[in-house]
DNA sequence: GTGAAAGCGCTAACAC
DNA sequence: GTGTTAGCGCTTTCAC
């Protein structure tokens, strides 16, 4: 593996010259540049990123932390982040915290070890104290980590109202809401709040049932769906995440409950999951790609010392489907 | 940010001692170790990974290259790889090639720049010549890259036969197969071969239609599904990837074609997509988690100089569902 | 057992 | 404009 010194020797110039020619497009005379390029080609020289990193004290890498990537919401998100970061010149280090003991600690430490220039934190965290003293660039994705950590998320108040309006057009009387864990306060949790306000103003009964913390699998929602139909025989509307509502649809069909005649369903997230089944779900869609783009741009700004706002909020949209 | 030199000073020992104490569990006297630990705590010292990387000439990072992660198959795969790599002490650099001009080049170069210790290549490649001269550790996931590059994949011959048997139990006469692009030869493509052999031996007519190269979205399969029903009015069985077959199911239901009475469907891959809809699809499931685990173990072996076999093949299973 | 010093490969400030 | 050289922070060999 050729090093810069070899190139310098081959080109008959000094190491410094080679470095400058390689990193600064308008350094040196054409003749010198030519010689250096030739030597690079001949020796098939490729600079060592490790050495550059140490020298420049940066890695051009951003850590993306999510609970899991085997979930349509996070899959879309990670795809969007990777793409945006790539075009900004950054690499993506993927970290999934679910299934791993205490992985959050480890990933935060990776940040401190300067393995990454910054991180985008999309995983739930029970212990937000971890983030208090952090000096490194960090952005929270739909999470409250610390008052001084910038956050990007959907306007869930609007989301909640969109969902409410969808149900209100169909004269529902008893709506069950499936929420994530109540243990941790997230922006996403707030759509229930906005939703409830509207529903109660219209005299509609609502109940909330919760999934366990950090549950992003497909089994628990199915169990919960069964429980909902067992416990609330008069339910005529359900609001919850894509996965939860898909589970309800599945169970409802199995039980012979007609959708949307007897039961209205609105999915919150609006990932591809709601669009590629037999029935397209009515859904409030989070602008995942745009959120990803903003998060990527912002983390890069912060890395470059250009911190501005502490919060970026993008509006969701309603996708009309066949279930409400 | 405290450095090793500061720790040494604080502890009243030399830099070398600190390094040794930190990296070798049984180096030094308890007293010395104690002093060093205390200094580390006091200064909140965290070693710089960049410096270690340069010094040790490795990054403990593996690049995972896939077309996209916003697709259930690759999402599960990436999740599995990240998890396995994590437990082997490696970090995961995510690279998605779809949507990016010529990203394969860039990622291969990242490998050469020693940004990653090795890569697991799961993306289609039209230009396999890129891989000919590569000296760095690399493993192909369900792809033929070069004769000397190890490969891990499902036993697609078995997969093809499993699918065939599923159809044969139901007396089909005309089966349409949806395949990926014919432009690039992949192990996965071979299940069609095995499938056809069995079907033809039983006198069943088969037709193959193809998706474009590198198509992993959800739109094209829908168009193709429409086309299949238009072109082959007597089709009574369809075999294809999860996404393709889901699309067919969707279109079939819309057209009033009864599944499974009039049309049998078998999905190849068996991701979660086939299990969480209203109808569970009958599917040939690739052992994604196991494949991921093997791929992770093997790339680490190769990084550590322990290359053994050139190919690892794991068997798929049939998941019986409601569509065949 | 411990400390000094020579790298690891590259960048950029600073002389010439 | 070009070359020399001192870092970047850590690891480890090699004397003591």
């Amino acid at each position: 593996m050729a090093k810069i010194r070899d190139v310098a020797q081959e080109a008959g110039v000094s190491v410094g010259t080679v470095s400058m020619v390689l990193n600064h497009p308008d350094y040196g005379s054409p003749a010198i540049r030519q010689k250096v390029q030739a030597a690079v080609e001949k020796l098939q020289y490729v600079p060592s990123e490790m050495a550059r990193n140490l020298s420049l004290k940066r890695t051009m890498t951003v850590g993306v932390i999510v609970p899991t990537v085997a979930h349509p919401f996070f899959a879309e998100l990670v795809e969007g982040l990777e793409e945006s970061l790539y075009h900004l010149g950054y690499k993506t280090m993927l970290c999934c915290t679910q299934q791993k003991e205490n992985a959050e600690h480890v990933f935060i430490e990776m940040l401190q070890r300067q393995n990454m220039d910054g991180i985008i934190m999309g995983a739930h965290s029970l212990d937000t104290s971890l983030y208090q003293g952090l000096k490194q660039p960090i952005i929270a994705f739909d999470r409250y980590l610390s008052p001084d950590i910038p956050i990007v998320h959907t306007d869930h108040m609007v989301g909640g109202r969109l969902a409410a309006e969808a149900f209100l057009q169909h004269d529902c009387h008893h709506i069950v809401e499936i929420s994530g864990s109540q243990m941790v306060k997230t922006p996403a949790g707030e759509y229930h709040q906005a939703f409830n306000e509207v529903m109660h103003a219209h005299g509609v009964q609502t109940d909330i049932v919760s999934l366990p913390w950090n549950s992003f699998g497909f089994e628990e929602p199915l169990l919960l769906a069964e429980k909902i139909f067992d416990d609330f025989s008069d339910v005529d509307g359900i609001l919850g995440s894509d996965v939860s509502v898909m589970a309800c649809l599945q169970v409802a069909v199995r039980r012979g409950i007609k959708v949307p005649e007897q039961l209205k369903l609105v999915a919150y997230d609006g990932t591809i999951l709601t669009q590629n089944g037999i029935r397209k779900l009515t859904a409030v869609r989070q602008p995942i790609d745009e959120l990803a783009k903003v998060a990527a741009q912002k983390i890069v700004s912060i890395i470059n010392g250009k911190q501005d706002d502490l919060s970026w909020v993008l509006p969701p949209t309603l996708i009309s489907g066949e279930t409400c």
Side-chain angles (χ1 to χ4, degrees), chain A:
Chain A
M1 196 109 281
K3 327 175 195 197
I4 200 171
R5 169 185 265 147
D6 303 324
V7 176
Q9 206 154 20
E10 175 71 31
V13 297
S14 78
V15 222
T17 304
V18 175
S19 175
M20 290 304 271
V21 166
L22 259 33
N23 296 300
H24 303 268
D26 32 62
Y27 175 92
S29 66
I32 285 282
R33 297 188 65 83
Q34 191 65 39
K35 278 200 293 187
V36 171
Q37 289 299 354
V40 165
E41 306 271 299
K42 178 170 177 198
L43 301 178
Q44 299 213 50
Y45 169 70
V46 181
S48 157
E49 199 69 19
M50 304 190 285
R52 304 193 76 218
N53 286 348
L54 179 58
S55 198
L56 296 171
K57 300 223 241 182
R58 56 120 185 86
T59 61
M60 297 304 280
T61 297
V62 169
V64 168
I65 308 186
V66 289
T68 171
V69 76
H71 179 289
F73 182 83
F74 292 109
E76 273 188 54
L77 175 64
V78 170
E79 174 87 12
L81 288 172
E82 196 269 348
E83 166 138 17
S84 294
L85 287 171
Y86 177 85
H87 287 118
L88 289 165
Y90 283 79
K91 305 164 204 77
T92 299
M93 192 86 95
L94 178 65
C95 315
C96 303
T97 58
Q98 190 169 264
Q99 319 239 31
K100 303 201 187 76
E101 275 308 311
N102 172 254
E104 214 169 316
H105 267 283
V106 177
F107 292 135
I108 295 297
E109 192 173 312
M110 275 171 54
L111 178 66
Q112 293 175 316
R113 283 175 178 258
Q114 306 174 59
N115 229 319
M116 317 176 284
D117 296 342
I119 70 182
I120 294 172
M121 177 70 189
H124 286 279
S125 184
L126 291 176
D127 181 13
T128 50
S129 69
L130 264 175
Y131 300 88
Q132 302 303 342
L134 276 188
K135 284 283 158 280
Q136 287 85 350
I138 179 166
I139 263 193
F141 183 90
D142 209 29
R143 302 281 175 268
Y144 297 122
L145 290 182
S146 153
D148 53 335
I149 292 182
I151 180 171
V152 33
H153 63 89
T154 297
D155 191 333
H156 295 294
M157 290 304 187
V158 170
R161 285 196 286 270
L162 283 174
E165 285 161 21
F167 282 113
L168 285 175
Q169 290 181 1
H170 297 282
D171 191 35
C172 292
H173 298 97
H174 184 185
I175 293 183
V176 172
E177 298 168 60
I178 303 173
S179 81
S181 166
Q182 308 283 27
M183 283 169 65
V184 47
K185 193 164 171 301
T186 69
E190 291 164 9
Y191 80 81
H192 290 290
Q193 184 183 324
F195 180 79
N196 281 330
E197 274 172 24
V198 179
M199 294 323 260
H200 293 166
H202 287 75
V204 178
Q205 179 190 352
T206 62
D207 279 290
I208 293 204
V209 297
S210 297
L211 284 164
W213 179 70
N214 222 13
S215 160
F216 294 100
F218 294 80
E219 286 304 322
E220 274 152 340
L222 276 173
L223 299 175
L224 192 57
E226 298 279 3
K227 192 165 153 45
I228 288 172
F229 294 118
D230 288 342
D231 292 357
F232 306 98
S233 56
D234 68 331
V235 58
D236 58 3
I238 298 179
L239 171 64
S241 71
D242 288 1
V243 176
S244 298
V245 172
M246 281 296 286
C248 290
L249 175 58
Q250 192 173 329
V251 173
V253 168
R254 196 185 305 149
R255 293 192 177 206
I257 300 169
K258 293 230 179 330
V259 177
E261 294 79 1
Q262 298 167 266
L263 177 70
K264 314 273 185 270
L265 300 174
V266 175
Y268 200 92
D269 280 351
T271 64
I272 191 71
L273 200 60
T274 60
Q275 303 307 305
N276 73 350
I278 297 178
R279 311 288 293 277
K280 301 218 197 246
L281 298 190
T282 299
V284 175
R285 167 144 182 98
Q286 298 202 49
I288 306 183
D289 277 351
E290 292 81 356
L291 290 168
K293 190 178 282 183
V294 169
Q297 285 169 346
K298 294 312 174 182
I299 193 66
V300 171
S301 295
I302 297 176
I303 288 171
N304 295 327
K306 289 177 213 133
Q307 184 160 353
D308 37 35
D309 290 325
L310 273 173
S311 150
W312 297 278
V313 184
L314 303 182
T317 51
L318 186 77
I319 306 180
S320 57
E322 309 164 34
T323 61
C324 181

